[in-house]
Amino acid sequence: MNLTISGHHLDVTPALREYVLTKLERVTRHFDQVVDVNVLLAIDKSKEKDRRQRAEVTLHVKGRDIFVEQSHEDLYAAIDQLMDKLDRQVMRHKDRTQEHHHTSVKRMTASV
């Protein structure tokens, strides 16, 4: 898994990097076919003070790119909410890609 964490108008401190890594472990625990992860942490100059801190993730899994973004007044809270959204989308993608059509036991014994 390739991981890129970058900051826009923000220095990515080791504490922020470690926080993002611990939160990403939950996503990779549920779905291990993650190819590439790009994380962007930014501070916007918006007029809304409660939406200045922004975090976004682009997650490349086999067959699909998943993009999630979240804004909040606190960057750590934005990362928490972002990872919750990302986890839901990854679980939904995993559920869609799994094989749900199993042959019944009756059909297996009838064909033998």
Side-chain angles (χ1 to χ4, degrees):
M1 174 177 82
N2 296 328
L3 174 66
T4 306
I5 301 174
S6 57
H8 186 66
H9 299 293
L10 166 78
D11 290 331
V12 180
T13 62
L16 268 175
R17 180 177 295 278
E18 191 63 34
Y19 191 73
V20 170
L21 285 173
T22 57
K23 292 295 182 172
L24 273 174
E25 284 178 6
R26 184 175 80 184
V27 174
T28 56
R29 185 171 11 123
H30 289 156
F31 191 67
D32 59 348
Q33 297 177 356
V34 177
V35 177
D36 191 24
V37 180
N38 292 322
V39 179
L40 177 66
L41 307 173
I43 298 177
D44 293 334
K45 303 262 187 201
S46 74
K47 294 182 181 179
E48 300 176 30
K49 288 188 177 184
D50 59 338
R51 297 288 179 193
R52 281 199 178 155
Q53 312 282 337
R54 182 169 48 95
E56 42 182 73
V57 171
T58 305
L59 188 93
H60 179 71
V61 294
K62 185 179 176 183
R64 185 167 181 216
D65 286 337
I66 299 173
F67 176 77
V68 181
E69 68 178 336
Q70 183 66 41
S71 299
H72 199 271
E73 63 183 285
D74 179 28
L75 189 58
Y76 287 97
I79 293 170
D80 286 340
Q81 293 173 356
L82 175 88
M83 292 303 167
D84 290 340
K85 280 184 176 181
L86 184 66
D87 194 35
R88 282 192 303 269
Q89 285 195 14
V90 165
M91 291 299 290
R92 193 169 74 205
H93 173 70
K94 180 180 177 181
D95 189 46
R96 286 180 179 172
T97 58
Q98 285 180 340
E99 179 77 31
H100 292 290
H101 305 288
H102 300 288
T103 56
S104 67
V105 176
K106 290 180 182 178
R107 291 183 183 240
M108 290 175 67
T109 57
S111 64
V112 174

